[in-house]
Amino acid sequence: MSDVFDLDRLRADTPGCAVGMHFNHSGASLPSQSTLTAMWDYLRKESNDGPMEAANSATALLEDVRAGTAALIGARPSEIAFLGSGSAAWGAAFAALPPLVPGDRILVGRQEWGGNLATMQDATVRAGARVEAIPARDDGSVDASALAAMIDERVRLVSLTWLPANGGLINDAAAVGRVTRAAGIPYFIDAGQALGQIPIDVASLGCDVLKAAGRKFLRGPRGTAILYVRQEFLPRLTPRYLDVLSGPIVDGVVKIRDDARRFEAGEISPALILGLGAAICQASALGMKAIRERIGTLANELRDNLRSIPNVTVRDLGAELSGVVSFTVEGIPAPEVRAALAERQIAIGANGVPYTPLDMTARGLDQIARASVSYLNTLSEIARLSDAVADVARKA
Ligand SMILES: Cc1ncc(COP(=O)(O)O)c(C=O)c1O
């Protein structure tokens, strides 16, 4: 494995590594000490100087975080807004699209995140429009050629969850981008499970909007998310509401910002953004390619181990796999698997249908256990997790 990882140092710099084994980086990862320090230091400054006064002196630091975020995904700083959650970021961009009218169509990948889907379904039902799933290839991933065949003048949006929440699949988001770009149709990518896990380059993805929470593989704080909006696409989005930062009234006229901050609230937490900045610096210093490789190696080791355990079925689809490892244990519901592992100080996730309704329904699954792997994890932790799953499965 790559030696850019000084694992002892990285783990010593992560207080949670000393407590238990964390395999829930898809839900939220463990922050590093530098992220915690960035937040603590700023909160102390707020309490000493006054929050508004502290913010005035942190403007340049916050803009550095914006620049670092942009660099991480190949964007320009003016194309980045900070919001409080992935869903808030996605919803803000979706709500800013022109209103839907009867007969309009929205096309989505089969693994679309349930929250996005609920937002689209609600809007389309009210407008007399509809959401349609793009067919999947045999390996479960989105079929870009099938998408091309679905395009007509009624398609208003294509939305793709790049890496799903319920398994290790990696969709070919760039192939979808080539279709949408050729057709001139808005393209939103949910990169919730991608940010901090795999390299992201918005230009090669060909998307107009991309969003992700900071707390997952990137190891940023909860309550942070990034929203990318392509500069040339911004004029097509009208924010549903404004504040004095995103749309101040100047000489009696509303001046909506001409950058992505038209979606950013004036009242955001600088402490959280600075914590996010520390996480971005760390990921950038390690390098996303090296992170991706290490996660891939660890996750494949885990999959191989799980496949050899009686009563355990690995549920990951796709040719190219991520660090999200999904499995089921015959006769034991996923929440119980999670609880049994929690008793052994091992944190994993357990998902039901609402996270990825189309995919879970298409595959006849009602729940999956989800062990998600970070570069912070070790081969010895993978072995101990595998033994613990075997132990749980024996009792099935
Ligand atoms: C792919 C994907 N999209 C969106 C979300 C939701 O993000 P948030 O909880 O920040 O709104 C998740 C959360 O797990 C996710 O996995």
Side-chain angles (χ1 to χ4, degrees):
M1 266 188 257
S2 169
D3 56 10
V4 296
F5 293 95
D6 179 347
L7 248 273
D8 290 342
R9 186 182 58 77
L10 288 166
R11 289 175 62 86
D13 186 45
T14 305
C17 285
V19 179
M21 277 191 270
H22 196 75
F23 284 100
N24 193 15
H25 306 278
S26 285
S29 189
L30 300 173
S32 71
Q33 188 58 54
S34 32
T35 292
L36 297 173
T37 303
M39 294 193 289
W40 269 126
D41 286 354
Y42 185 79
L43 289 174
R44 200 168 296 113
K45 192 170 169 51
E46 273 192 346
S47 68
N48 289 338
D49 301 359
M52 294 308 185
E53 293 69 20
N56 288 341
S57 60
T59 312
L61 284 178
L62 295 170
E63 284 319 296
D64 285 349
V65 180
R66 200 178 304 279
T69 308
L72 186 68
I73 65 169
R76 289 174 272 191
S78 59
E79 296 174 316
I80 302 295
F82 296 120
L83 285 96
S85 77
S87 300
W90 195 94
F94 178 78
L97 286 166
L100 295 165
V101 299
D104 281 351
R105 304 166 69 205
I106 296 178
L107 309 182
V108 302
R110 198 177 86 181
Q111 293 83 19
E112 188 66 12
W113 170 250
N116 305 344
L117 198 58
T119 303
M120 287 182 271
Q121 207 164 300
D122 183 55
T124 49
V125 165
R126 277 188 280 117
R130 60 183 191 274
V131 179
E132 296 169 43
I134 305 162
R137 297 148 66 102
D138 288 346
D139 69 359
S141 64
V142 67
D143 186 339
S145 326
L147 168 66
M150 294 172 84
I151 301 286
D152 66 14
E153 74 292 347
R154 303 317 302 265
V155 177
R156 294 283 167 261
L157 171 69
V158 171
S159 180
L160 182 75
T161 295
W162 188 4
L163 276 66
N166 67 333
L169 184 78
I170 301 182
N171 275 310
D172 189 347
V176 169
R178 286 190 288 277
V179 175
T180 54
R181 208 33 89 72
I185 291 170
Y187 177 30
F188 286 18
I189 293 183
D190 184 328
Q193 297 295 348
L195 185 66
Q197 182 180 183
I198 63 174
I200 299 179
D201 176 45
V202 286
S204 46
L205 291 168
C207 57
D208 298 301
V209 166
L210 177 143
K211 68 82 177 163
R215 69 178 186 275
K216 297 175 185 287
F217 289 89
L218 185 61
R219 308 179 57 206
R222 288 196 80 170
T224 59
I226 66 163
L227 173 65
Y228 156 82
V229 184
R230 192 166 63 85
Q231 188 73 50
E232 297 71 20
F233 187 68
L234 266 169
R236 293 171 65 179
L237 295 178
T238 309
R240 274 293 146 252
Y241 69 92
L242 299 165
D243 67 14
V244 292
L245 187 112
S246 57
I249 296 177
V250 182
D251 297 330
V253 179
V254 179
K255 297 275 184 211
I256 301 181
R257 284 188 73 111
D258 60 6
D259 59 15
R261 290 181 74 185
R262 61 175 51 188
F263 293 109
E264 190 172 291
E267 179 52 24
I268 53 171
S269 161
L272 290 178
I273 301 304
L274 293 174
L276 178 70
I280 287 172
C281 281
Q282 186 160 45
S284 305
L286 290 169
M288 285 313 307
K289 196 164 167 290
I291 288 175
R292 159 79 180 128
E293 275 167 21
R294 181 172 164 84
I295 291 177
T297 306
L298 293 169
N300 284 337
E301 170 85 6
L302 177 58
R303 284 189 188 96
D304 287 347
N305 291 352
L306 294 177
R307 282 196 187 100
S308 70
I309 302 173
N311 295 327
V312 171
T313 307
V314 173
R315 297 290 180 177
D316 298 327
L317 300 180
E320 200 196 340
L321 294 172
S322 78
V324 183
V325 179
S326 64
F327 63 97
T328 50
V329 181
E330 184 72 35
I332 310 188
E336 284 178 30
V337 175
R338 178 180 55 187
L341 294 177
E343 280 170 17
R344 295 160 171 83
Q345 315 302 326
I346 303 175
I348 68 160
N351 297 3
V353 174
Y355 279 16
T356 40
L358 298 177
D359 187 55
M360 294 292 274
T361 307
R363 297 168 65 195
L365 293 170
D366 56 5
Q367 44 188 239
I368 48 107
R370 182 181 71 177
S372 43
V373 176
S374 159
Y375 63 81
L376 275 180
N377 290 116
T378 62
L379 283 170
S380 125
E381 284 186 313
I382 299 275
R384 278 144 69 205
L385 167 62
S386 308
D387 288 348
V389 173
D391 192 34
V392 172
R394 251 193 306 277
K395 296 176 179 133

